[in-house]
Amino acid sequence: MLVMKAEILARKPPITATPDTKIKDIARIMAEKKIGLVVIVDKSQPDVVVGVVSERDIVRAVANNIDVNLPAKEIMTSPVITIEGDEPIWNVAKIMHEHNIRHVVVTKGGKLFGVISIRDLVSEQSVLRSLIEYGTPEEHRPSAD
């Protein structure tokens, strides 16, 4: 039985910035690259994840009148929910569901490897097939309301 691993979907290099990058620059990077998450890495160790800034973080900052010239560290989410590259793909979907997130940072040996978005999961038939075939089934019952 071949189980698809997280590292297969996280094959593109992640887009990163440092904690001192301005919020507005993070937003510009997201718009230019058409992505929803920037991984915030340690300035001296670019494979060490210290946080993430998502579209939701940017929207929340703007809605709360946070100065977009402030550094990303002011709005980044930390600690980061990560998954090792050799984990099965259904685990990525489970983590996204449990934490209500749209991106999961993938590591290899604890070092930054890539990012998997919800779009990555639903855009490839082979991934969907893997989720259906190997995912852990849950019972779904109507709520008692």
Side-chain angles (χ1 to χ4, degrees):
M1 171 176 1
L2 184 65
V3 177
M4 185 177 282
K5 307 273 189 217
E7 63 195 355
I8 306 245
L9 269 191
R11 56 188 169 260
K12 289 185 278 185
I15 305 301
T16 62
T18 62
D20 297 329
T21 306
K22 291 179 181 178
I23 295 168
K24 70 178 183 182
D25 293 332
I26 300 276
R28 187 175 32 69
I29 290 167
M30 286 179 176
E32 286 173 1
K33 304 275 187 187
K34 296 181 171 92
I35 57 171
L37 185 92
V38 172
V39 180
I40 307 301
V41 295
D42 186 289
K43 200 177 241 174
S44 60
Q45 296 176 289
D47 58 357
V48 174
V49 179
V50 296
V52 292
V53 175
S54 69
E55 289 172 316
R56 290 177 178 176
D57 295 325
I58 299 284
V59 168
R60 203 174 299 116
V62 171
N64 290 319
N65 291 318
I66 292 175
D67 182 356
V68 294
N69 288 303
L70 287 173
K73 65 183 168 196
E74 297 297 323
I75 66 162
M76 74 182 187
T77 300
S78 182
V80 178
I81 295 166
T82 64
I83 192 164
E84 274 291 312
D86 60 357
E87 285 286 320
I89 206 74
W90 58 262
N91 226 8
V92 174
K94 181 179 171 207
I95 287 169
M96 285 180 176
H97 177 74
E98 286 175 353
H99 296 279
N100 191 29
I101 56 176
R102 295 181 282 186
H103 300 85
V104 174
V105 174
V106 179
T107 56
K108 283 190 103 172
K111 304 287 186 192
L112 177 61
F113 180 76
V115 173
I116 297 176
S117 72
I118 192 93
R119 187 184 310 146
D120 295 330
L121 286 182
V122 299
S123 66
E124 288 197 32
Q125 278 189 343
S126 59
V127 172
L128 292 174
R129 204 169 12 262
S130 176
L131 288 172
I132 292 166
E133 291 176 14
Y134 305 111
T136 51
E138 293 180 19
E139 274 190 49
H140 293 283
R141 294 190 184 123
S143 63
D145 310 356

